[in-house]
Amino acid sequence: MIQWLSNVYRLGLKELRSLRADPVLILLIIYVFSFAVYAVATGAKLEVVNASVAYVDLDRSELTGRIVNAILPPDFETPQEISSSDIDRVMNNGKYVFVLSFPPRFEADVLAGLQPSMQLNIDATAMVQAGNGAVFIQEIIAAEIAKFVAPGDTSSSLPIDLIVTALFNPNLQSTWFSSVMQVINNVTILSVLLTGAALIREREHGTIEHLLVMPVTPSEIMLAKIWANGLAIIVAAVLSLWLVVQGILSVPIAGSITLFVVGTVLYLVSVTGLGILLATFTTSMPQFGLLALPVLVIMNLLSGSTTPMESIPVWLQNVMQIAPSTHFVAFSQAILYRGAGLETVWLDMVVMAALSAVFFVAALLRFRQTMSASN
């Protein structure tokens, strides 16, 4: 047993030296856990920010002016007036996301209780921004009309005092979500790529033949690749959470980083095993990349990191329970977002450990078969 552990340790050191000698992979790790996290968190915003607005005012009344003046930054850009004949042109050119059109006698009809119609044109190409922005604009219009018609009347208000509290992200900032999820997704991506690349590198450099004549077993070789590459990923992920997420982006981490690392170790056994398994079916990095790409896309899109699991069809939710990424995302979100403890995430950790055992055994059997064929 001591000799087995010694072999795993020394082979792992060899993997770390090989990784250190590969500047492309080193730069990839640094980029993925630094600039990529920052760029996605600050660039891909889900809330409405600086949405462009235009308006057509055929009424020229005080009410229409109050509505236009209530559409303010930072949610919206300052509304720009256009003519009614320009609506189709500016919408087709994508110049404005929202175009309001006030009909003639709008204020007079409102005061007369005639419920006049007004038009809100929306460029739904940017679906999230369009949907949220439309709701904001409708609320602004309703509020301004209510204050204009009956400024002192509160009879239309709710008969209760409704207090809304947003937990875990009080300002509803998408940066808080996207930055942490980017780190979580990158753990999956790099775990597959680094371990798969390590095996492909052995073949391309001819060192796999050296391993075949050494007194080491396939399990020792696999575990060495797993712990060495897993260590590099965990260190990079933790540094990213501390330096980029908490430091640069000022996003709070609610839970225990130590508990997150423990769960990540359990998860890495399965996902690095998956990387080795995929690499055994290929003979070059281009082939491995083409095979890994659809697997990673499915794992990320259907794991709950991009869209809630509840929005996925039930049968597909059941299928994705065999994917370790589904449980890792739930585990990570519970700890990093909501500050959950072991009593909350222990079941996800048990499932990840069980799936890790399954993926490791499957990868080991395939790896042994591949090594036997090469011998």
Side-chain angles (χ1 to χ4, degrees):
M1 184 63 180
I2 295 178
Q3 184 61 44
W4 185 84
L5 292 175
S6 177
N7 289 342
V8 171
Y9 172 72
R10 295 182 184 279
L11 287 171
L13 293 180
K14 179 189 75 69
E15 290 295 327
L16 290 176
R17 285 192 292 267
S18 298
L19 180 61
R20 185 183 62 184
D22 194 330
V24 174
L25 288 181
I26 294 294
L27 289 176
L28 176 63
I29 295 174
I30 295 174
Y31 166 80
V32 163
F33 284 107
S34 58
F35 179 77
V37 174
Y38 178 83
V40 172
T42 57
K45 290 185 176 293
L46 301 179
E47 63 266 22
V48 180
V49 178
N50 293 327
S52 55
V53 181
Y55 67 96
V56 176
D57 191 355
L58 301 179
D59 188 36
R60 301 288 178 178
S61 63
E62 179 186 353
L63 176 57
T64 58
R66 292 176 61 165
I67 293 174
V68 170
N69 292 332
I71 301 175
L72 301 171
D75 295 335
F76 304 95
E77 294 179 354
T78 302
Q80 303 296 318
E81 185 172 7
I82 61 174
S83 65
S84 57
S85 60
D86 289 334
I87 293 179
D88 290 337
R89 179 180 60 81
V90 298
M91 293 297 291
N92 290 338
N93 293 339
K95 187 175 181 179
Y96 297 102
V97 178
F98 304 99
V99 176
L100 275 168
S101 181
F102 298 100
R105 295 185 52 78
F106 178 72
E107 179 184 300
D109 290 343
V110 168
L111 292 175
L114 299 179
Q115 294 185 337
S117 298
M118 61 175 296
Q119 188 178 53
L120 174 60
N121 299 281
I122 304 172
D123 181 357
T125 305
M127 187 175 62
V128 175
Q129 187 182 51
N132 294 337
V135 173
F136 293 167
I137 291 178
Q138 291 177 60
E139 292 176 350
I140 292 171
I141 293 173
E144 291 301 318
I145 290 177
K147 288 188 293 184
F148 181 78
V149 173
D153 184 12
T154 59
S155 60
S156 61
S157 61
L158 290 175
I160 60 173
D161 183 14
L162 177 63
I163 300 175
V164 179
T165 303
L167 299 177
F168 315 119
N169 188 353
N171 294 324
L172 303 179
Q173 298 182 33
S174 62
T175 301
W176 287 29
F177 173 79
S178 56
S179 60
V180 176
M181 288 315 307
Q182 190 68 13
V183 174
I184 295 172
N185 288 338
N186 289 343
V187 168
T188 299
I189 294 173
L190 281 187
S191 297
V192 173
L193 294 182
L194 287 186
T195 49
L199 182 57
I200 298 296
R201 186 169 55 238
E202 299 276 12
R203 290 177 175 173
E204 293 180 343
H205 295 173
T207 54
I208 191 70
E209 286 78 9
H210 297 167
L211 294 176
L212 293 175
V213 298
M214 292 176 62
V216 294
T217 63
S219 62
E220 293 171 350
I221 298 173
M222 268 192 60
L223 280 175
K225 295 183 182 299
I226 288 174
W227 84 255
N229 291 284
L231 177 63
I233 292 170
I234 288 177
V235 170
V238 171
L239 289 177
S240 180
L241 288 174
W242 281 339
L243 301 179
V244 180
V245 176
Q246 288 184 303
I248 299 177
L249 297 173
S250 300
V251 177
I253 300 298
S256 169
I257 296 292
T258 302
L259 183 58
F260 171 72
V261 169
V262 173
T264 303
V265 170
L266 296 176
Y267 173 66
L268 284 175
V269 175
S270 62
V271 76
T272 52
L274 175 62
I276 293 176
L277 180 63
L278 295 176
T280 59
F281 292 97
T282 61
T283 57
S284 65
M285 279 302 298
Q287 288 182 352
F288 173 70
L290 290 174
L291 181 60
L293 181 60
V295 175
L296 291 173
V297 169
I298 292 174
M299 290 178 66
N300 282 341
L301 290 181
L302 301 181
S303 63
S305 63
T306 303
T307 57
M309 287 296 295
E310 293 76 14
S311 65
I312 302 175
V314 176
W315 68 269
L316 194 52
Q317 293 183 38
N318 296 330
V319 171
M320 288 304 296
Q321 296 307 307
I322 64 174
S325 59
T326 302
H327 303 280
F328 179 62
V329 168
F331 162 84
S332 301
Q333 288 180 344
I335 293 176
L336 301 179
Y337 289 143
R338 298 187 290 274
L342 183 60
E343 70 282 356
T344 303
V345 299
W346 68 270
L347 182 58
D348 286 317
M349 296 179 70
V350 170
V351 175
M352 285 192 295
L355 291 174
S356 293
V358 172
F359 276 85
F360 180 82
V361 171
L364 180 59
L365 293 176
R366 174 63 187 175
F367 186 54
R368 281 177 174 170
Q369 180 183 355
T370 303
M371 291 190 67
S372 300
S374 303
N375 196 345

